[in-house]
Structures are given as structure tokens and as C-alpha cells.
Amino acid sequence: MTARIYQKPKHAMQSGKAHTDEWVLEFEQSQARFADPLMGWTGTGDTQSQVRLTFPDKAAARSYAEKYGIPARVFATPPKRLKLQAYADNFR
């Protein structure tokens, strides 16, 4: 029951920075997914993979994992790259 801790990235359809400062603790899958023979849906018997907890900072997420004895890996936030481009660059 390993967990991963990471900071939520801004998705492509989001122009603002709302909820990008939250940290997420998410459990990794312990069982492989399987296809249901009747409906064809994918399923799993692992209910922990559905749990997603949010925290205001990385320290709070780490302390929660340590308090409950959850082995967790922390993934660093990639640096934000700002692409400066002028409208005139479209016509070069």
C-alpha cells in the first residue's frame, strides 16, 4: 500500500492558478485491472486506489503518511517554464 505525494499541475484547459498549490496523496494500485466479462468495463478489487487526499502543503501530506505508517514517495514539482512569445513571431 504505497502512496505517492505530488503537487497538482495546471491542466491545459485551465488559464488561472486555482488549486495548483494543493498537494495530493494518492495510493498506487496493488492489483492489476481486469475486464468484466459481462459488461466489458474495467474493474479492480483494490479500493485504496480510489482514495485521493489533498493537503495545503507538502509537509502536511508527509506528516499524515508518517502518522498512519503509509510508505510514501514524494515527487518533486517540475520547474515552470514561461514561453515568452510576441504576436509578431507568428509571421516570421
Side-chain angles (χ1 to χ4, degrees):
M1 184 168 80
T2 308
R4 40 187 211 139
I5 298 172
Y6 62 94
Q7 193 171 18
K8 286 175 55 172
K10 185 174 88 167
H11 55 83
M13 299 302 293
Q14 183 177 0
S15 61
K17 294 184 180 181
H19 303 290
T20 57
D21 55 346
E22 294 179 345
W23 285 81
V24 178
L25 185 139
E26 189 172 73
F27 292 98
E28 294 178 352
Q29 289 186 356
S30 61
Q31 294 180 353
R33 293 188 176 269
F34 57 87
D36 183 66
L38 180 62
M39 298 296 290
W41 296 343
T42 57
T44 182
D46 181 26
T47 58
Q48 290 284 40
S49 64
Q50 300 172 5
V51 176
R52 178 181 286 174
L53 303 171
T54 58
F55 297 93
D57 56 356
K58 180 170 55 172
R62 268 191 182 170
S63 65
Y64 179 86
E66 289 173 2
K67 179 180 177 181
Y68 291 102
I70 302 168
R73 294 184 304 172
V74 178
F75 291 94
T77 306
K80 295 177 181 160
R81 292 178 284 152
L82 184 61
K83 182 180 177 185
L84 297 175
Q85 184 176 0
Y87 180 71
D89 292 341
N90 294 330
F91 302 104
R92 285 187 184 181

